[in-house]
Each structure stands twice: as C-alpha cells, then as structure tokens.
Amino acid sequence: MKEEVLELLKSVKNPFTGVDIVSEGLVSTIIEDEEGIQIYLAFARNTPPGPVSSALAWPVQARIIKDIVKVLEEAGIGKFEILDDTTLQRYYPGDV
C-alpha cells in the first residue's frame, strides 16, 4: 500500500513550483500500520522561519493538503493522516 500511496502522491503538484511533491522532496516518510497510513511532509523544514514566511507558505501548503486528500480519497485509500515531519503538526484529518 505504501508504494501505491507514493505513486498517487506523484500526481499532486506544488501549486507554486508546478513540480510534484514527491520529486520536490516534500514527502519524507510514509508509514503503514494497523491504524492506517501516516504521510509525513517536510513543510516546516522547507519554510524559512518567521511570521511572513509562514503566512505566505500556508495557502500553498493548504492547497497541497487538499490535493493529497482528494487524490487518496478518489483512489479509495482508507484511513490516513498527514503530518509535518518536524513539528508533527497534524494537517489531516482536521482543518485544512
């Protein structure tokens, strides 16, 4: 299942760069266990520190999360979570 999820994530593009999030290195880890799938993204370590950078990055990150959820739900992937690999902030399920 991890390989299938990784392939699906290759169809999600960063709206700012146009590059898929796997090739861009935003997908750092995919873990599959009895609870489902956890997808760890490298958002925090790829966003320069400071409130302005965070404010500018948030709409791009929110779009990426929405696109990931859409792709995985359309493919029938069951339970999954999307988290930041540095802060462990949970993006999905939750508010996006």
Side-chain angles (χ1 to χ4, degrees):
M1 179 68 74
K2 284 172 47 173
E3 294 79 20
E4 179 183 355
V5 169
L6 189 62
E7 284 302 312
L8 290 166
L9 294 177
K10 289 179 181 178
S11 70
V12 176
K13 306 283 187 215
N14 179 331
F16 185 71
T17 64
V19 177
D20 76 86
I21 63 171
V22 175
S23 296
E24 200 167 52
L26 287 178
V27 179
S28 60
T29 307
I30 299 173
I31 298 172
E32 181 180 9
D33 61 21
E34 63 278 349
E35 297 293 318
I37 295 177
Q38 296 87 43
I39 301 163
Y40 290 87
L41 302 177
F43 280 158
R45 56 189 166 104
N46 285 312
T47 302
V52 173
S53 297
S54 295
L56 294 173
W58 175 244
V60 173
Q61 293 171 353
R63 170 69 186 276
I64 290 169
I65 298 298
K66 287 178 183 178
D67 290 349
I68 290 171
V69 171
K70 181 180 179 193
V71 165
L72 296 181
E73 286 181 345
E74 286 177 355
I77 301 299
K79 185 176 176 187
F80 61 92
E81 290 182 288
I82 304 170
L83 305 106
D84 187 276
D85 69 355
T86 301
T87 65
L88 300 180
Q89 176 179 344
R90 185 176 182 205
Y91 295 102
Y92 182 85
D95 295 329
V96 183

